[in-house]
Amino acid sequence: MTSTDNAGNASKPAVKDPWELPDVSGLVVGVLGGTGDQGRGLAYRLARAGQKVIIGSRAAERARAAADELGLGIEGADNAECARRSDIVIVAVPWDGHAKTLESLREELSGKLVVDCVNPLGFDKQGAYALKPEEGSAAQQAAALLPDSRVTAAFHHLSAVLLQDASIEEIDTDVMVLGEVRADTDLVQALAGRIPGMRGVFAGRLRNAHQVESLVANLISVNRRYKAHAGLRVTDV
């Protein structure tokens, strides 16, 4: 949309406010891997914020049991049903099952906004270290496996312990959001902002996802040294 000056000449389009984000409160969020610690934590926080949430698992019974434990109107289903019924689908499965899970759900995830929060990590006697997938990152692997989906990356640096702790009212952290299309990353930023204390911050395209995923290895080291549940804050924005 352009505007005109006093002389009637066309001026440059108005710059969009980066903090003007859409309303996502009516969207259904599915969490693949929702029976794991990270998935359960995200499902709980989003449902607590008023979002409609469906937990997905390979076994529908396991998903329903986890949903019943969490309450808040959360539903459980197998991964395929979870993907079909959701507007936004968060991928929170273990790294070793990432590719296989997404390959099996290509049809159900077609046209969906997919948010990958998987961190490819290895562990040895020296602690956690980052792995680099052939595609460059877990998010890029997801984009390669899901050509008909809108893939973004976010929610990597959250403590599952804090997410699941009902006594904690706010999660003090920023969420780095990556993706190719601004409308999609805006939706994910808005979803992150539904959780009290949390803020979604655009952090680049998917080609930059590897270092965001890898930073979790550093946070694990921080947490072990300081007995903490560290998050991240981006300054000056």
Side-chain angles (χ1 to χ4, degrees):
M1 182 177 180
T2 58
S3 58
T4 56
D5 59 22
N6 292 333
N9 298 316
S11 56
K12 293 181 180 180
V15 177
K16 182 181 177 182
D17 180 353
W19 297 113
E20 185 180 326
L21 300 172
D23 178 11
V24 296
S25 60
L27 300 181
V28 178
V29 179
V31 184
L32 303 180
T35 58
D37 288 342
Q38 194 78 353
R40 283 173 64 99
L42 282 168
Y44 170 71
R45 286 291 161 179
L46 289 169
R48 181 167 163 171
Q51 209 77 34
K52 174 59 185 176
V53 177
I54 303 172
I55 283 177
S57 176
R58 287 178 296 177
E61 299 80 9
R62 187 178 178 193
R64 285 193 284 266
D68 289 343
E69 285 181 22
L70 292 171
L72 299 172
I74 298 171
E75 293 184 48
D78 63 38
N79 282 331
E81 182 182 348
C82 173
R84 280 194 299 266
R85 293 178 56 198
S86 301
D87 301 302
I88 300 177
V89 180
I90 298 173
V91 181
V93 300
W95 167 241
D96 58 7
H98 183 259
K100 185 176 180 180
T101 300
L102 296 184
E103 283 176 332
S104 71
L105 297 171
R106 182 175 296 171
E107 181 178 345
E108 290 83 359
L109 291 171
S110 177
K112 304 287 185 176
L113 176 55
V114 174
V115 187
D116 200 296
C117 71
V118 176
N119 303 304
L121 298 176
F123 295 86
D124 59 20
K125 292 181 180 179
Q126 297 182 60
Y129 60 94
L131 303 175
K132 189 160 188 179
E134 182 180 346
E135 297 85 356
S137 65
Q140 287 170 295
Q141 183 183 86
L145 293 171
L146 303 172
D148 298 321
S149 302
R150 296 140 53 207
V151 176
T152 60
F155 300 116
H156 301 90
H157 306 137
L158 308 180
S159 164
V161 173
L162 297 185
L163 288 173
Q164 295 183 80
D165 189 338
S167 69
I168 294 175
E169 297 293 330
E170 297 187 359
I171 305 293
D172 181 23
T173 193
D174 285 335
V175 172
M176 308 283 269
V177 180
L178 302 98
E180 302 301 319
V181 179
R182 178 163 184 171
D184 293 337
T185 56
D186 280 357
L187 284 169
V188 180
Q189 285 181 254
L191 185 65
R194 295 273 289 158
I195 300 174
M198 201 175 288
R199 182 178 66 158
V201 179
F202 175 71
R205 294 179 179 269
L206 287 186
R207 68 180 184 180
N208 293 319
H210 171 65
Q211 56 264 38
V212 174
E213 296 169 2
S214 299
L215 190 58
V216 174
N218 302 89
L219 289 176
I220 289 172
S221 296
V222 170
N223 290 336
R224 286 180 174 174
R225 173 64 63 90
Y226 298 102
K227 306 295 187 256
H229 301 290
L232 294 177
R233 280 293 188 198
V234 180
T235 63
D236 201 34
V237 294

